[in-house]
Amino acid sequence: MTLEELQRIARSVNERRGWDFSRVRSDRDPVPWDYTDVVRRYLEPSARVLDIGTAGGEIFLSLAPCFGIGIGIDNDPAMIQAACENTPSSLTHKVSFQRMHAEVLRFPNSCFDVVLNRHSPVFAGEIVRVLRPEGVFITQQVGSRNTQNICSVFGCGPGGGYEPDPSQDIERLVEAFVKAGCRVVARASYDVRYWFRDVESFIFWLKAIPLPEDFDIERHWQEVDKIITEYSTSKGIETNENRELLIIWKR
């Protein structure tokens, strides 16, 4: 595709609000778990729950009927604003959102029954501190092989950055939690085929992630064209989805 064609598509694609990717039209092969289904198994009507990296609260709010009180945190003020705007009046008595760094949680020790984290950096020490004894931490992380063919064209990692963060390697996270006296309840991963059904969905995703972190259609249009040309199939633009699941129990 030409630069002019890609510019036109990029202009037509609305900006992401919160962490809402519902405008992405996609397909993927079957996966062994769904994050929200896993989390629901560990929630109780009386549970006090913390969601780290809550973004626009889209997933956390969908889980609200399953727990007692919930707090979602994110360091991005735009995300917190979106989360508050997304909160229906029927949930304002049980779900709230605060801007906060995950590295320093401004909560007392042992005050949450469940801590959640989806696609956000994990800081084991603070998570263990705020979990009550026998509390549970559940995280789903984007795997290191996610969208591997796309990342190889841009020369970046699956999160869009050019330098990986070794502290977020799943093996190191497991070691950190075990060292803190916790037990690994479950650990799993999957890597399946994934398709963007149309170019508009692909461009929206590139802008929204952003992938790479400095994505600009004028700068990267040749890479975008290369991906569309080389990986388009009858089902759409093919890549892969790699996810890691980790469930920790505090002794």
Side-chain angles (χ1 to χ4, degrees):
M1 300 184 71
T2 66
L3 171 59
E4 290 73 21
E5 290 173 317
L6 292 171
Q7 286 175 321
R8 177 183 55 78
I9 293 172
R11 287 193 298 268
S12 71
V13 171
N14 292 329
E15 298 298 319
R16 168 181 53 76
R17 181 181 177 277
W19 205 243
D20 180 7
F21 285 79
S22 60
R23 284 170 286 182
V24 173
R25 299 177 70 250
S26 63
D27 288 306
R28 68 180 177 189
D29 283 337
V31 296
W33 78 80
D34 175 80
Y35 172 76
T36 55
D37 289 343
V38 172
V39 170
R40 287 189 183 97
R41 299 174 201 162
Y42 291 89
L43 299 179
E44 298 180 356
S46 62
R48 182 176 173 86
V49 182
L50 172 66
D51 187 32
I52 297 174
T54 195
E58 296 87 358
I59 290 178
F60 195 42
L61 289 168
S62 74
L63 295 166
C66 302
F67 58 73
I69 296 294
I71 301 174
I73 67 165
D74 202 290
N75 189 45
D76 186 340
M79 292 294 184
I80 294 301
Q81 180 180 347
C84 292
E85 293 172 354
N86 288 337
T87 305
S89 57
S90 60
L91 292 179
T92 54
H93 68 289
K94 66 183 305 182
V95 180
S96 61
F97 296 95
Q98 299 180 30
R99 184 185 180 190
M100 193 179 302
H101 288 282
E103 302 96 315
V104 183
L105 300 175
R106 300 193 302 272
F107 301 110
N109 296 346
S110 306
C111 62
F112 291 103
D113 302 292
V114 177
V115 176
L116 304 175
N117 176 303
R118 180 179 178 273
H119 305 178
S120 182
V122 174
F123 299 92
E126 280 293 89
I127 290 167
V128 174
R129 182 183 66 79
V130 300
L131 266 179
R132 66 166 178 78
E134 301 189 355
V136 174
F137 169 63
I138 304 170
T139 184
Q140 176 179 282
Q141 292 292 312
V142 175
S144 61
R145 299 184 305 277
N146 192 63
T147 58
Q148 196 166 30
N149 59 339
I150 296 173
C151 292
S152 66
V153 173
F154 285 116
C156 64
Y162 297 98
E163 294 294 332
D165 183 354
S167 70
Q168 296 301 304
D169 177 78
I170 198 72
E171 294 290 348
R172 292 202 181 186
L173 294 179
V174 168
E175 291 175 6
F177 281 107
V178 171
K179 186 176 181 180
C182 297
R183 178 168 65 87
V184 177
V185 174
R187 179 180 171 183
S189 66
Y190 70 72
D191 192 339
V192 301
R193 292 179 299 173
Y194 181 100
W195 296 268
F196 296 97
R197 292 186 192 174
D198 49 52
V199 174
E200 288 77 9
S201 293
F202 180 47
I203 297 293
F204 173 85
W205 180 80
L206 289 172
K207 291 174 62 178
I209 294 295
L211 187 86
E213 59 189 357
D214 58 349
F215 178 75
D216 179 86
I217 195 63
E218 283 75 20
R219 182 187 307 163
H220 295 109
W221 75 271
Q222 290 177 314
E223 288 90 342
V224 174
D225 176 61
K226 177 182 175 67
I227 292 166
I228 294 169
T229 300
E230 294 189 5
Y231 299 112
S232 288
T233 71
S234 61
K235 297 187 68 173
I237 302 166
E238 182 173 339
T239 183
N240 70 299
E241 181 176 278
N242 179 208
R243 296 290 183 267
E244 304 270 2
L245 179 71
L246 184 62
I247 304 177
I248 298 293
W249 178 70
K250 181 177 176 181
R251 300 181 188 274

